[in-house]
Amino acid sequence: MNAADQLFQIAREYVDAAFDIADRYLESTECQEFVVSLYEVDIAVVVPSGFEESATLADAFCSADPNALVSWRLVVIDSSAGYEPPRRRWSPALNQPTGQLRLSDESIRIAIDPIVQVVWVMDRLRKCVLAFVPSLLEIPRWWLATPLRLGMSWIADVLDSEFVHGAAVGRDGKGIVLAGPSGVGKSTLSLKLSLAGWEFLSDDFFLMKETTARAIYRRAKLNSDSLSALRCQPLPTFVESETPTKSIIDVWTHDEVAHTAQLNIQAIAFPSLAPFSGLQPVDRARAFTELGPATLAGLQGGSLRSFSRLAQIINSCSLYRFGVIGALDEISGALEAVRVA
């Protein structure tokens, strides 16, 4: 048996042990379910009952038919209740740099989130993903803006679709992605445009299949001063204690913010903190270096198929860069022109 086969055998035993723990957890813990829809598949997300954090988690997602015939399950396990994941039997170095254990056979997947220490386990045959959370009571508030996205992205990968890091806005079913690293103004601009007549789909991560973007999360995360300027009061329970200048709002509960669940993407625009001087074309290689790293870093490296999907998205869109400092009506007019082109 070669080294790759040995690692897979060890990983297979780890996955089986993790599901044994999950079975005991579900037998002894009162849980509740809610349904999340990823295009043609519906996922039953199982969370422990009785936690405010469990309700907060459920409220993060766009609504789906609670009576849908689910194909997958995603089980959230509160490890602080005595149900810790199995101990690794391989070198932690094999999880570097992204946290995912790279296996030749992707029927199973394992990852350890290096920031919040959530341990992820997927078994494709069982059609189930496990998320061992160190403590639901101590999970960072910012994690609840786009929660469970790694496990969701694994299921999306099976469906040949991709979670993409970016804001998305549009009108009449046609949209534009605002992409780039954190801090360049994507969230603020997407909400400003939504207050000015555009429809909001996402400010952080959304699901993309071919040229169609679909909203998964209801929330937006942005600087509190930006939130005040947008006339939307922050929800006090969602103000992050770790970074008090950041706030999370449930966009779908604010009547003044128009929103939509799905858009056909026409263009990708890359904002920067510079004066607005029109939209400048971007070549496809530059676009990939802007969209790819931000997306793949947020998904702990993604999969090899992520690269081809992102390339397909880029090849199907018009590409621009622009500065966000300037008159909103000028920016909106320029984006509207490429949206309908």
Side-chain angles (χ1 to χ4, degrees):
M1 184 181 295
N2 60 35
D5 290 339
Q6 288 179 335
L7 179 60
F8 179 79
Q9 182 60 37
I10 292 171
R12 175 77 266 177
E13 292 171 0
Y14 183 94
V15 169
D16 290 341
F19 274 90
D20 286 342
I21 294 169
D23 288 342
R24 294 199 300 272
Y25 180 79
L26 292 172
E27 288 174 359
S28 62
T29 306
E30 184 178 350
C31 293
Q32 64 190 68
E33 289 188 6
F34 60 91
V35 178
V36 177
S37 178
L38 301 184
Y39 285 108
E40 65 268 31
V41 68
D42 293 297
I43 303 166
V45 180
V46 183
V47 296
S49 301
F51 283 97
E52 178 185 350
E53 288 73 11
S54 294
T56 301
L57 189 65
D59 291 341
F61 295 91
C62 300
S63 59
D65 182 0
N67 299 314
L69 182 63
V70 297
S71 307
W72 281 74
R73 289 198 309 163
L74 197 163
V75 181
V76 178
I77 299 171
D78 187 352
S79 298
S80 68
Y83 294 88
E84 296 183 352
R87 292 186 179 274
R88 280 180 285 183
R89 290 172 48 209
W90 59 89
S91 167
L94 293 177
N95 286 95
Q96 301 302 321
T98 65
Q100 289 206 52
L101 184 66
R102 294 298 180 183
L103 300 169
S104 56
D105 185 336
E106 291 189 349
S107 61
I108 59 175
R109 297 179 78 165
I110 303 168
I112 294 125
D113 189 314
I115 298 176
V116 294
Q117 297 301 307
V118 174
V119 176
W120 296 93
V121 178
M122 181 185 84
D123 188 324
R124 191 165 177 171
L125 183 61
R126 288 181 169 101
K127 289 192 173 183
C128 186
V129 176
L130 307 178
F132 289 88
V133 179
S135 171
L136 272 176
L137 291 174
E138 298 177 6
I139 201 73
R141 287 293 181 180
W142 58 261
W143 191 81
L144 294 169
T146 53
L148 307 179
R149 69 172 179 251
L150 181 59
M152 293 287 180
S153 75
W154 284 354
I155 299 172
D157 183 53
V158 173
L159 306 171
D160 197 26
S161 53
E162 191 72 29
F163 271 55
V164 175
H165 177 58
V169 294
R171 281 181 174 137
D172 303 322
K174 296 181 179 180
I176 292 175
V177 171
L178 305 174
S182 298
V184 297
K186 301 187 301 293
S187 298
T188 303
L189 179 59
S190 62
L191 284 170
K192 282 184 176 179
L193 289 169
S194 299
L195 290 167
W198 291 69
E199 294 173 325
F200 177 96
L201 183 133
S202 166
D203 94 306
D204 198 15
F205 273 88
F206 57 89
L207 186 67
M208 191 89 178
K209 186 161 188 177
E210 298 176 348
T211 60
T212 301
R214 181 162 184 157
I216 302 298
Y217 300 105
R218 296 163 54 107
R219 294 184 181 140
K221 181 179 66 175
L222 68 167
N223 292 334
S224 295
D225 56 352
S226 298
L227 199 60
S228 177
L230 289 167
R231 308 192 311 278
C232 298
Q233 295 301 313
L235 302 180
T237 58
F238 294 156
V239 176
E240 300 171 16
S241 58
E242 295 84 357
T243 54
T245 58
K246 283 277 191 179
S247 296
I248 298 172
I249 61 168
D250 186 338
V251 174
W252 291 50
T253 63
H254 287 272
D255 293 336
E256 58 186 351
V257 180
H259 54 81
T260 185
Q262 186 168 301
L263 290 169
N264 186 267
I265 300 301
Q266 309 293 302
I268 304 173
F270 300 93
S272 64
L273 296 175
F276 179 72
S277 59
L279 301 183
Q280 308 299 321
V282 174
D283 64 57
R284 303 199 183 282
R286 174 68 181 274
F288 194 88
T289 62
E290 294 278 356
L291 183 64
T295 292
L296 298 177
L299 301 177
Q300 296 184 224
S303 71
L304 292 177
R305 290 173 295 279
S306 298
F307 291 90
S308 60
R309 292 192 198 107
L310 291 174
Q312 180 184 19
I313 294 166
I314 288 169
N315 288 333
S316 67
C317 293
S318 302
L319 307 167
Y320 304 92
R321 65 173 181 270
F322 67 101
V324 298
I325 301 174
L328 180 64
D329 57 349
E330 293 181 3
I331 297 174
S332 178
L335 294 174
E336 176 68 11
V338 301
R339 185 191 70 83
V340 298

